[in-house]
Amino acid sequence: CLAAHASYCRREGLDAVALNMGLLGTFTLVVGAEQVASVFEDRESVMFKSAIDRRGVGLLTGIGVLLADGKEHTRKRRLVLPSFDARRLTAYVETMSDISKQVADELLGAADAAPPGGA
């Protein structure tokens, strides 16, 4: 459902939106190009994972690249980095585009079919 939130942000001209994930906590979805760049440029002050994030989300997903910090993050990032080579990603552009369009259409269809007020 993150795609729906990202789409909402773009439509409303927002650069970020807070997502309350219940017991998992509140996360910030950043969609503005400048804001995304600043997250990656200023990782020390912006990108940290609390013990609650690691414990809560980690139970569902494991401690992967996104939840790891420090040396653990660097080691895991290096393991997956070859998969993100430009030549490899280029081969997937059409597939990712088709799937993204399909998911967006499904989300929009579900939103249109939902009763007013979200009940």
Side-chain angles (χ1 to χ4, degrees):
C1 187
L2 290 178
H5 288 292
S7 177
Y8 169 80
C9 287
R10 285 191 286 277
R11 275 196 318 273
E12 298 297 320
L14 303 173
D15 294 320
V17 64
L19 303 173
N20 183 338
M21 304 295 284
L23 295 175
L24 298 177
T26 300
F27 299 86
T28 302
L29 174 64
V30 179
V31 295
E34 285 183 27
Q35 287 68 26
V36 170
S38 71
V39 166
F40 287 104
E41 290 168 1
D42 190 17
R43 286 189 295 221
E44 295 302 316
S45 65
V46 178
M47 294 183 70
F48 65 91
K49 295 86 178 183
S50 72
I52 293 172
D53 293 342
R54 288 175 59 95
R55 195 170 46 246
V57 177
L59 284 173
L60 298 173
T61 65
I63 305 298
V65 175
L66 296 177
L67 290 178
D69 277 321
K71 290 180 182 179
E72 179 186 15
H73 170 80
T74 301
R75 183 182 67 78
K76 290 180 179 194
R77 189 188 74 228
R78 285 185 181 147
L79 289 171
V80 299
L81 196 57
S83 299
F84 293 95
D85 175 75
R87 288 169 288 179
R88 287 186 186 207
L89 290 178
T90 300
Y92 295 115
V93 167
E94 186 176 340
T95 301
M96 290 187 285
S97 178
D98 291 345
I99 291 171
S100 297
K101 289 175 185 173
Q102 178 185 349
V103 169
D105 289 344
E106 290 172 9
L107 289 170
L108 291 172
D112 290 341

